Every structure is written in structure tokens, then in C-alpha cells.
Amino acid sequence: MNGRAVILGGGGVTGIAWQTGILQGLQDAGVELDKADAIIGTSAGSFAGAYLACGVVGEYFDLQFTGDAAEIAARMPPESVEGFQKAIVEGGGDPEATGRALGRMAMAATTVSGEDRARVVSARLPSTGWPAASLKMTAIDAQTGELHLFDKDSGVSLTTAAEASGAVPGLWPVVEALGRTWIDGGSYSAANAELGAAYDRVVIIAPVVTGFPGQRGTLDEVADLEAAGVDVVLIHPDERASAAIGVNVFDPARRASAAEAGRTQGQGLATEVLKVWELP
């Protein structure tokens, strides 16, 4: 048996808030996702995953309701959206080819400074050190397009890994580490749910479940996992949470409403999650 995994997906600053709310709601009901053999975060999910692995979900849930978060209000530029669409066409169904095209776009983009972005990332994290061997964060090599997993043995700080995992092409600056250039781990798969194939039981918490036209989404990956015999629970925003998140996932003003909706949703899903998580 290969154990249990929690996979947390990308979805901007509201995705962090909503996922933290989901985790809080599940904890309220006694679901111990922190006992996972692997906690795999992508982009926003890397931050929520760090809270889970560090045992500080409650503290960071409460912080979603403060007005002093060191966030940068943003919106995805239309030219970057167009760049994503072109990269998917150019990739022709090959994730690594798509990743290379997105890498070229990201390296050419004008964004906020790396220093400003690093301050935001640092302020979101409870530690600069890795809390547990179970925590992993995805990022994509901008030159090769390959998906990479950072962990405590990767030789980078938790902050650098989280910054790389959330470096949305065309919005946030690329990250230089280990002699490579990195972009958002969710660039061609919002949650990288396919990584759950290495485990028997998987809880996937995904703010976004569909991709751009021509791009495989989380729902497709979950179907593949189920076909392979993996026991899966997929959690994605319900109607209330979707309304709370709104249309711009990079709007810090939506943090509180997204977190509260996530907590309520998590509490309601606890029984469903436990059926898979606590299998004998």
C-alpha cells in the first residue's frame, strides 16, 4: 500500500483563503489530513499545504480576516491570458512543450519586482524551514517545461519553493534557484492531481477544476485516478464559495468571504472525506 496524500491546487490569493477554510472546517469535524504521507501543494495550494504541515491552519484561517495582509492586489493581464492560450495551442497536448512556451512568456513579461513578490510570499508563510518530509511543492522548469517537486531535501528554503510554485507566468516574476528558472507549478495543470497516482487514498482540494480550452483539467485527472483504482475525494468550490471567491482570484479583498465559505463547506464534507481517509 502506498498510503494517503492531500493534493492542494492553485487559485490565487482567494484560493489560499478558501483552501485554508476547507482545512479548518475539516479539522473542526475531526478530520486529520495532517497525518498524510504526502501533502502536495501547487501555487496557492503550496501555502495551504504549508499551514497543514506546520499545524497552524487555525492561526492562518484567522489571519484571512485581518486587513493588514501584505498582499498585492492584481488582475491577470489580457495579454497574459492570450499568452496562456497561445502556449496551449503551441504545446499541442504536450505538457512540457506548453511549459516551455509559458516559460518564454514569463521570462519576457514585465511584472512587479522580485523583491516585492518575495515579501508577499514570506509574509504568508509560518517558517522559512521545511516543517515535515511529507510537504512537497510543485514548480515548472521554465527552460525544459518539466514539472518538479520541491521538498526538504531540494536545497531551497520553504520560501523559495513557495515563491516558485506560485510564480504565475505573465503576472508574477520568475524565480531563480538551483541554477534554473522556475514558473508556477499550476501552469499547465491547476492542481497536478495526477500526482495522486502514487498513493492509495487521495483528498484533492482544488479551487480550479477546469483549464483553458484545449487543456486537461482536474476533473480529467481525477477520472484517470479513479480508473486506476485510487480512492479519491475531490473538493472544489460549491455555489456559495464560488460567489465568495468572485471572478478575480487575485483580489485580497475576497479573502475573508472565501475563507468563511470554505470552512462551512469543509464542515459539511467531513463525513464524505472520512469515508475515504479512514478506510481500514
Side-chain angles (χ1 to χ4, degrees):
M1 301 295 283
N2 297 319
R4 303 178 295 181
V6 179
I7 295 177
L8 302 111
V13 68
T14 57
I16 297 172
W18 173 77
Q19 288 180 97
T20 305
I22 289 287
L23 294 173
Q24 181 64 62
L26 292 173
Q27 285 191 4
D28 292 342
V31 183
E32 297 181 321
L33 293 185
D34 58 315
K35 306 299 185 186
D37 298 287
I39 298 170
I40 304 171
T42 288
S43 198
S46 289
F47 297 94
Y51 307 154
L52 180 63
C54 288
V56 293
V57 168
E59 175 183 345
Y60 279 81
F61 174 78
D62 291 343
L63 286 174
Q64 303 307 312
F65 298 87
T66 66
D68 57 355
E71 295 291 342
I72 300 171
R75 184 179 293 273
M76 195 71 172
E79 58 271 22
S80 296
V81 174
E82 183 179 351
F84 263 88
Q85 295 168 332
K86 288 182 177 179
I88 292 166
V89 172
E90 183 178 334
D94 180 344
E96 291 184 2
T98 302
R100 291 192 294 272
L102 289 170
R104 291 190 292 273
M105 178 187 83
M107 288 186 284
T110 300
T111 67
V112 301
S113 72
E115 292 79 8
D116 286 344
R117 176 62 177 164
R119 280 193 290 271
V120 170
V121 171
S122 295
R124 288 178 182 170
L125 291 171
S127 170
T128 57
W130 291 84
S134 60
L135 180 61
K136 306 174 191 299
M137 297 181 177
T138 67
I140 293 172
D141 186 315
Q143 282 92 5
T144 68
E146 294 176 308
L147 182 67
H148 180 80
L149 280 173
F150 287 112
D151 60 22
K152 72 178 186 65
D153 297 320
S154 295
V156 300
S157 70
L158 184 68
T159 304
T160 297
E163 188 178 353
S165 188
V168 180
L171 181 66
W172 306 126
V174 298
V175 175
E176 305 290 340
L178 304 178
R180 308 298 299 173
T181 302
W182 304 98
I183 60 173
D184 193 302
S187 294
Y188 55 69
S189 175
N192 292 298
E194 63 185 14
L195 296 173
Y199 302 91
D200 300 301
R201 288 171 279 165
V202 181
V203 174
I204 300 168
I205 305 174
V208 178
V209 293
T210 58
F212 286 102
Q215 184 181 33
R216 278 172 56 79
T218 301
L219 295 174
D220 301 305
E221 294 176 334
V222 168
D224 289 344
L225 292 178
E226 292 175 334
V230 179
D231 287 306
V232 182
V233 176
L234 172 63
I235 299 173
H236 58 89
D238 59 14
E239 185 175 352
R240 178 186 174 190
S242 295
I245 289 167
V247 297
N248 178 17
V249 300
F250 303 106
D251 181 3
R254 294 276 185 164
R255 292 162 54 243
S257 60
E260 188 56 48
R263 184 178 193 173
T264 300
Q265 187 179 357
Q267 291 169 339
L269 291 170
T271 299
E272 179 183 348
V273 173
L274 282 171
K275 286 179 182 177
V276 167
W277 198 247
E278 300 297 339
L279 280 173

